Amino acid sequence: MRINNRTITQQKVKHFLNKLSANGDSIATILRSALEVETYQDCVNKHPEDSRVGNNMEAKCKEYLDVLKANGLCYGKIESRRKTLPVTIIGALPDGNTIAYRCSKDTKWNDVPNYVEMWDGDFKANRAKIEQNILAIYGEALYDVADPGDELREQPLF
């Protein structure tokens, strides 16, 4: 993640959000949960044939939906006729954007309502949307925790 021409690693962003979340910042809790789902989705992309990795990602999706529910944000599912991964889980971010993940048909989605709001249909920009939220809300504070040497990294982890 780039902040004012400085790079901050994903690990530092997660630590920063964890600290805020522990102090009762519900927005940080939402964004940290969304970031965790995206991290697990990256693992699914690297290991698409490993069902354990997919199951772990879906468990993180469920946790994210529980965080959204607890904080009164919009979430839901859309079921399709796709043979593989027929359930799309959609959740709102604090700025109103949505992130979405394809999941298997499973009983863990039984209590998830159908998604009735507008959705952009985008599965590929989840990380960018999460980063945009984090920067918009915490950009200056994140800049303060970035080490001066961080900008020397060629490829940021976030």
Side-chain angles (χ1 to χ4, degrees):
M1 175 182 284
R2 306 263 323 149
I3 305 167
N4 297 337
N5 295 324
R6 291 174 72 180
T7 301
I8 186 167
T9 64
Q10 179 173 319
Q11 181 180 8
K12 286 185 183 180
V13 172
K14 286 181 177 182
H15 179 72
F16 173 81
L17 292 174
N18 285 342
K19 190 173 182 180
L20 291 175
S21 184
N23 289 327
D25 185 332
S26 62
I27 293 175
T29 302
I30 293 164
L31 292 170
R32 178 62 177 93
S33 183
L35 189 56
E36 193 68 10
V37 176
E38 189 59 23
T39 299
Y40 275 76
Q41 180 63 50
D42 289 345
C43 289
V44 169
N45 293 342
K46 290 177 187 172
H47 309 285
E49 301 303 319
D50 190 339
S51 62
R52 291 174 300 158
V53 173
N55 289 336
N56 290 339
M57 188 280 295
E58 289 187 5
K60 290 300 176 183
C61 274
K62 181 66 169 147
E63 290 174 19
Y64 176 60
L65 297 183
D66 291 343
V67 168
L68 293 177
K69 182 178 182 179
N71 288 282
L73 289 177
C74 187
Y75 67 95
K77 67 181 176 188
I78 296 174
E79 295 188 38
S80 69
R81 295 177 189 239
R82 290 177 53 125
K83 289 186 180 185
T84 59
L85 306 177
V87 178
T88 299
I89 299 303
I90 305 166
L93 292 169
D95 72 353
N97 273 318
T98 57
I99 56 175
Y101 299 92
R102 289 188 173 108
C103 298
S104 62
K105 185 131 180 99
D106 193 290
T107 57
K108 71 176 150 282
W109 310 125
N110 287 350
D111 67 337
V112 176
N114 289 329
Y115 193 75
V116 296
E117 300 295 322
M118 293 297 294
W119 171 52
D120 61 11
D122 186 4
F123 290 95
K124 297 185 187 220
N126 290 338
R127 182 171 297 280
K129 291 176 185 178
I130 296 166
E131 286 182 6
Q132 178 185 3
N133 268 247
I134 293 168
L135 287 174
I137 297 167
Y138 301 111
E140 288 302 315
L142 275 169
Y143 182 77
D144 292 341
V145 300
D147 289 335
D150 285 344
E151 70 267 13
L152 300 177
R153 292 185 187 278
E154 290 182 21
Q155 295 213 347
L157 299 176
F158 191 83

